[in-house]
Amino acid sequence: AQRVTQPEKLLSVFKGAPVELKCNYSYSGSPELFWYVQYSRQRLQLLLRHISRESIKGFTADLNKGETSFHLKKPFAQEEDSAMYYCALSGTGTYKYIFGTGTRLKVLA
Amino acid sequence: GAVVSQHPSRVICKSGTSVKIECRSLDFQATTMFWYRQFPKQSLMLMATSNEGSKATYEQGVEKDKFLINHASLTLSTLTVTSAHPEDSSFYICSARGLAGGPGIGELFFGEGSRLTVL
């Protein structure tokens, strides 16, 4: 079954602390993985995707096919990182995205 | 970047009436658009996939006759909530996928969402 799992509903960290938002997936083919972010009162927007291998706003995510994970990491959290983060999967040859349930990140001052 | 616009952003209607929500891709063509429903502080639930020129594909548990989707052009998809009831009150979000040769290939671009309140 195709599935994206984000085990944490809420993650609270202090400013300057490292943060890791977990994402595991289940997919039989070769998926493309994404992280989308939704800041307060804003629309969802792409944060990063695994094929780009970029660091956006200090965030990185590495696709680990062995562990079927795509965890989002940032070494030093900032208050402006507080938002809702969704991990998503797009299957090969399909236009359908599967979203995880999301993790709300709160960065405390 | 590519922009997806939804209208209206907020709508209040009486129980039993129908409401139409529009989703437009402003500067790119989208043969496929997606409609989601988002509950407060929860994830997006995919309702249906809207394909230009053909019937929408609905997810399991989504009533086709209640949530009518039309995708008549490459830049417009509409969601009509028919005979709305208070339990249909929610935040509805559309998205469009960037095409090959266009902006953000494979990336989903989201509308700002439409909050429906059924009294």
Side-chain angles (χ1 to χ4, degrees):
Chain A
Q2 302 171 16
R3 189 185 304 122
V4 175
T5 303
Q6 292 180 252
E8 304 135 331
K9 272 195 168 181
L10 173 65
L11 184 64
S12 296
V13 300
F14 284 102
K15 177 182 173 181
V19 61
E20 181 179 51
L21 287 79
K22 291 184 168 45
C23 172
N24 287 89
Y25 67 91
S26 173
Y27 189 77
S28 56
S30 298
E32 185 169 359
L33 275 295
F34 305 81
W35 277 98
Y36 281 83
V37 60
Q38 187 174 28
Y39 299 103
S40 180
R41 297 181 183 179
Q42 293 187 31
R43 69 184 71 196
L44 270 161
Q45 57 187 282
L46 178 67
L47 180 62
L48 51 80
R49 58 201 300 182
H50 88 269
I51 61 170
S52 301
R53 303 184 68 82
E54 292 177 309
S55 172
I56 306 294
K57 298 184 179 182
F59 284 97
T60 59
D62 291 317
L63 180 62
N64 185 321
K65 293 184 178 180
E67 296 182 358
T68 59
S69 68
F70 188 57
H71 303 327
L72 183 68
K73 300 177 184 179
K74 185 169 182 176
F76 308 103
Q78 302 299 314
E79 288 182 75
E80 55 265 29
D81 295 329
S82 295
M84 193 75 174
Y85 292 81
Y86 294 95
C87 183
L89 172 159
S90 173
T92 308
T94 174
Y95 297 117
K96 197 161 103 172
Y97 286 66
I98 300 168
F99 281 86
T101 49
T103 298
R104 182 168 295 281
L105 174 65
K106 283 190 177 180
V107 181
L108 309 170
Chain B
V3 177
V4 174
S5 176
Q6 271 183 254
H7 178 80
S9 58
R10 290 178 183 271
V11 57
I12 300 172
C13 69
K14 292 182 178 180
S15 186
T17 61
S18 295
V19 173
K20 181 185 285 187
I21 301 170
E22 293 185 346
C23 178
R24 293 181 184 274
S25 56
L26 296 186
D27 49 4
F28 68 103
Q29 294 181 333
T31 57
T32 304
M33 291 184 175
F34 304 90
W35 287 95
Y36 297 87
R37 186 170 175 175
Q38 187 178 35
F39 295 96
K41 296 186 178 181
Q42 293 190 33
S43 185
L44 297 88
M45 183 192 80
L46 178 64
M47 299 174 65
T49 302
S50 169
N51 300 296
E52 187 268 335
S54 64
K55 290 184 179 179
T57 303
Y58 290 80
E59 295 300 302
Q60 192 173 11
V62 178
E63 297 178 61
K64 301 178 184 181
D65 295 332
K66 170 168 265 308
F67 300 101
L68 300 179
I69 291 173
N70 184 276
H71 193 157
S73 78
L74 288 172
T75 59
L76 174 65
S77 175
T78 60
L79 168 68
T80 301
V81 183
T82 63
S83 187
H85 288 95
E87 56 266 30
D88 299 325
S89 298
S90 192
F91 197 57
Y92 293 89
I93 304 173
C94 74
S95 68
R97 177 181 164 120
L99 300 176
I105 300 169
E107 178 182 344
L108 271 185
F109 297 95
F110 286 85
E112 58 269 60
S114 299
R115 183 163 300 285
L116 170 63
T117 303
V118 185
L119 303 176

